[in-house]
Amino acid sequence: MRQLASLAWKEWNESRWLLVVALAVFLGLPAIGGLEAVREGQRFAILVSPWVFYLGGVLAVFVGVDAACRDLRGRLEDFWRSRPVGTAKWLLVKYFLGLAVVLVACIVPLVAEIKVNRDQYMMPYPAEVLLAWCPFLWAALYSLGFVAGCVLRRGAHAAMLALAGMLLVYFLPVVLPPIKWMSVGWALDTSTEVLDERISPTLHRVPWIASRVLYGNEQLVFVAGMLALSAASAAVALSAVRRGWQVHSGEKLMYWSVGSAILIVFTSAAYQLATNLPVVHAMDLQAGEGAVELRGNGEGGIVFARRMERGSNGYGFRHSDSVRTFRLTAAGFESGPAVGSRGPNTYWGDAAPVAWLPEHPGVAYLLDYRTDAGGAIYGEVVTVSADPASPAAAPLRLWSVDRGPSPMRQFAWQNRLYVAGERADRNGGYTKDVMADLDISDPLHPRIISIEPDRRFNGLQAHTSEQVVFQLTHLRDVPPRQLLAHTVNGYGGFCIDGDTVCKIERSGLVTYQLVTPTPWPYLRGGYAVFQKAGESNSTLLERMSDSNDYQCAAGGGFCYVSSWSSTLKCPRVTVFDIRDPKRPRPVGHFAVPNDGPLVVRPLPDGRALIGGRKLYLTGPPPIHN
């Protein structure tokens, strides 16, 4: 026992400086950033998650290499072999104390973030999710560094080889779908904090942290894989030291090792440009404009366009929005005149929550915020008419919001428009559940019928690797299919076509099918439950170059995913054939110059409306069975 204590004391004194430096980087630097935010009047918070997520693996590799190489160099190794200490005891103390340094350096900052930031969400992943899965990854990477040090016994070469191994651990599961369960990105993406565990009986709460992070049985494969990699590496390291195995490394070995790892990583790194969607018709917008939202069907629709210009002093931008209707004929687009909402140089804010009905193709409803003479912020419904001869009524004020704008959502069906949001009470707080019922039988002059408290648009309740659950809000006289479509499409990254829900993940597109043991729809206590059907993985280069700002829309058996490449500055649309939800596959792609993601609206016959600097009507993608 005294031998173990002496060995641990010796290792601690030699490796503690690594712990101090790591805590200074992972915890000290974010704390300094939080103090700077306090000076600017913001709440104190520490942004630890990105530091630990991106640098934790590198730290694990270097600590493992240092722990192994420190005493395996010439006379030092001979000295330790002459001591009355077993090789296994000496090496295992070294291994576990170095592993403890890595775990403490990475876990303590995450715990501090959870305690300090409370309910604040930090990127790239919540600290609770990182805390649940990343320690297994760090242990595996540390073990790779340790075994590389024991076999090569040269710090620089061992570090290069271990970093090449780290690339394989991160990216090889991305390149090879059969082992995707070994990907830390998959484990993090599919982990979730479910609001109601009763609607996901197949999930379990992670037992090793005090959090509501849940996991499915598939995620245990990742844990088992990382633990197996750690155990195998430790066993190889012990055998190498006991038997005196040593690889005499040189420049060629290093070049071949690192080059092979990089080659494997980029084996399937493909990126599609240009287009294979046939452009049937195109319509020019005004000079400098770009489509930010559109609604339409096979007969026509309405398009919202925005022009951004630099301010008069050369700084900042001015926004000018316009709207126009269009009709689809055999000869192409027939465009109506462009009409501004409130005169020139107007800005409607986010045009995404647009309500539009085919019965009234020249009218649309937007949600906006204004400030009255007393300084109060209030939400309103803006009725937009694309016909100058038929002007719309003035904006209709709904409710005040004292603490700044809050999200509002709307849904139109036949002669009703429903708007849900948050309303301020007398004390300046939020009454979160409030919904307005508007009569739009006269589409240009909407009228408030009622504003009901304690009502809202329900939506996503659970999203796991195998299941998606939506809670539906009952709206009078709205058919179940329309209600479900509005609920699903109201969440970023989700879209629905019939009984198939599509979800954009970092790894690609995942499809889910409605559970239907009874006639459609299957509702369990107000929930619509979808089970995973299939997936289509994106390539590595696509994941590295595309931003996280994806949009998707589905219809006619196809799913259109619009993405913006912040690296290549090229917006593109990828078309997936989802007619067989179990085997979604990319069948089309479309790319044209634009300043942001392209806006897509699929049509029931397989065609699609795509908005950018122009408005395009594209034909169905080519299908090769």
Side-chain angles (χ1 to χ4, degrees):
M1 193 68 182
R2 293 184 59 184
Q3 281 185 341
L4 291 176
S6 299
L7 289 173
W9 179 86
K10 176 257 182 189
E11 288 296 327
W12 165 247
N13 279 274
E14 292 179 344
S15 60
R16 61 184 177 182
W17 65 274
L18 290 172
L19 178 61
V20 173
V21 172
L23 290 177
V25 173
F26 291 163
L27 192 57
L29 294 181
I32 294 174
L35 293 175
E36 290 290 336
V38 172
R39 291 183 57 186
E40 298 176 1
Q42 303 176 13
R43 176 184 171 183
F44 177 76
I46 52 176
L47 189 58
V48 169
S49 301
W51 292 86
V52 176
F53 178 70
Y54 292 112
L55 297 180
V58 178
L59 172 69
V61 165
F62 281 112
V63 173
V65 170
D66 176 74
C69 293
R70 190 186 308 128
D71 292 332
L72 295 178
R73 293 176 297 185
R75 295 181 179 179
L76 274 177
E77 182 180 0
D78 295 337
F79 169 79
W80 280 108
R81 289 188 182 278
S82 66
R83 300 297 93 189
V85 179
T87 303
K89 183 184 298 185
W90 163 51
L91 203 64
L92 290 177
V93 169
K94 180 185 292 291
Y95 174 86
F96 284 109
L97 198 136
L99 179 60
V101 168
V102 172
L103 295 181
V104 170
C106 295
I107 291 176
V108 169
L110 291 176
V111 173
E113 178 179 307
I114 295 172
K115 297 298 183 181
V116 172
N117 297 352
R118 298 294 179 180
D119 296 329
Q120 289 183 304
Y121 180 86
M122 294 298 179
M123 295 296 289
Y125 296 99
E128 293 87 351
V129 177
L130 293 180
L131 201 58
W133 307 113
C134 283
F136 302 101
L137 172 69
W138 297 326
L141 297 179
Y142 167 82
S143 301
L144 287 178
F146 191 82
V147 71
C150 290
V151 172
L152 298 181
R153 305 187 185 184
R154 297 180 63 180
H157 289 185
M160 291 179 63
L161 187 62
L163 289 175
M166 182 185 72
L167 289 177
L168 294 181
V169 171
Y170 275 116
F171 296 116
L172 195 59
V174 176
V175 176
L176 301 178
I179 60 171
K180 69 173 184 178
W181 319 107
M182 298 288 289
S183 170
V184 65
W186 177 87
L188 296 173
D189 288 337
T190 55
S191 189
T192 181
E193 292 181 278
V194 181
L195 300 178
D196 189 351
E197 298 175 40
R198 293 173 298 174
I199 63 179
S200 299
T202 61
L203 298 179
H204 315 281
R205 183 174 296 194
V206 171
W208 48 86
I209 62 172
S211 175
R212 294 191 62 198
V213 178
L214 305 181
Y215 71 93
N217 293 330
E218 297 81 2
Q219 287 170 308
L220 294 181
V221 178
F222 168 77
V223 174
M226 294 298 105
L227 293 179
L229 181 59
S230 301
S233 299
V236 172
L238 181 59
S239 297
V241 174
R242 274 182 167 179
R243 301 181 183 184
W245 295 344
Q246 183 177 357
V247 176
H248 296 282
S249 58
E251 292 184 357
K252 289 186 178 180
L253 177 63
M254 293 299 100
Y255 293 154
W256 278 104
S257 300
V258 176
S260 300
I262 295 176
L263 182 63
I264 293 174
V265 167
F266 286 95
T267 296
S268 65
Y271 195 91
Q272 294 175 331
L273 297 173
T275 178
N276 68 348
L277 294 184
V279 177
V280 181
H281 300 294
M283 182 182 79
D284 290 324
L285 302 178
Q286 292 183 351
E289 285 187 340
V292 292
E293 189 56 81
L294 62 90
R295 294 288 189 271
N297 54 19
E299 299 177 355
I302 192 167
V303 58
F304 295 83
R306 176 167 300 161
R307 178 189 293 111
M308 299 181 64
E309 301 173 342
R310 287 198 175 273
S312 57
N313 58 356
Y315 297 95
F317 291 90
R318 292 187 306 169
H319 303 270
S320 178
D321 292 354
S322 64
V323 61
R324 69 176 68 188
T325 57
F326 61 88
R327 292 181 62 246
L328 287 173
T329 66
F333 289 99
E334 289 185 1
S335 173
V339 180
S341 174
R342 303 180 187 177
N345 298 326
T346 59
Y347 176 54
W348 294 332
D350 186 4
V354 177
W356 175 83
L357 291 171
E359 296 85 354
H360 311 295
V363 182
Y365 304 96
L366 295 90
L367 302 176
D368 200 1
Y369 283 96
R370 292 285 163 175
T371 304
D372 60 20
I377 301 174
Y378 62 91
E380 63 181 13
V381 175
V382 180
T383 305
V384 179
S385 173
D387 184 3
S390 302
L396 189 62
R397 180 167 178 168
L398 295 178
W399 45 70
S400 297
V401 183
D402 290 346
R403 296 183 181 178
S406 60
M408 291 193 296
R409 294 175 59 191
Q410 60 178 342
F411 175 58
W413 175 254
Q414 295 183 345
N415 293 327
R416 284 290 188 270
L417 177 66
Y418 301 92
V419 182
E422 296 177 346
R423 179 178 62 183
D425 60 21
R426 295 180 179 179
N427 298 322
Y430 286 137
T431 302
K432 291 189 175 181
D433 301 331
V434 57
M435 181 180 293
D437 183 359
L438 284 74
D439 181 2
I440 54 173
S441 54
D442 181 357
L444 295 176
H445 299 81
R447 180 176 58 87
I448 297 178
I449 297 177
S450 63
I451 297 181
E452 302 180 29
D454 301 325
R455 292 203 68 193
R456 65 175 182 175
F457 288 133
N458 291 313
L460 181 66
Q461 292 298 305
H463 173 216
T464 71
S465 60
E466 296 298 321
Q467 189 180 80
V468 173
V469 181
F470 290 92
Q471 185 179 8
L472 306 183
T473 299
H474 174 72
L475 298 177
R476 184 178 52 190
D477 301 328
V478 178
R481 282 192 178 272
Q482 280 71 24
L483 181 60
L484 180 60
H486 169 260
T487 303
V488 175
N489 293 327
Y491 280 81
F494 284 95
C495 57
I496 186 171
D497 181 28
D499 294 347
T500 302
V501 165
C502 299
K503 174 68 174 73
I504 309 171
E505 304 279 6
R506 286 185 175 90
S507 59
L509 185 76
V510 183
T511 56
Y512 300 83
Q513 281 190 295
L514 186 69
V515 178
T516 54
T518 58
W520 195 99
Y522 173 47
L523 303 179
R524 184 175 59 197
Y527 297 106
V529 183
F530 295 81
Q531 292 293 132
K532 181 179 177 181
E535 61 183 321
S536 177
N537 294 315
S538 59
T539 65
L540 179 61
L541 186 57
E542 290 173 333
R543 302 185 199 188
M544 295 176 62
S545 60
D546 286 350
S547 69
N548 293 328
D549 185 18
Y550 295 95
Q551 302 174 11
C552 75
F558 298 99
C559 177
Y560 295 76
V561 177
S562 177
S563 60
W564 163 256
S565 172
S566 56
T567 304
L568 302 179
K569 304 296 183 185
C570 181
R572 63 197 185 96
V573 176
T574 304
V575 188
F576 294 87
D577 184 354
I578 58 172
R579 290 175 297 179
D580 182 0
K582 296 181 180 179
R583 287 180 291 273
R585 55 194 179 101
V587 294
H589 47 94
F590 185 85
V592 293
N594 200 50
D595 298 326
L598 298 169
V599 184
V600 185
R601 285 290 170 264
L603 300 179
D605 58 3
R607 299 180 299 168
L609 294 166
I610 301 179
R613 295 178 182 174
K614 293 183 178 181
L615 185 61
Y616 301 90
L617 174 64
T618 63
I623 304 297
H624 302 286
N625 294 322

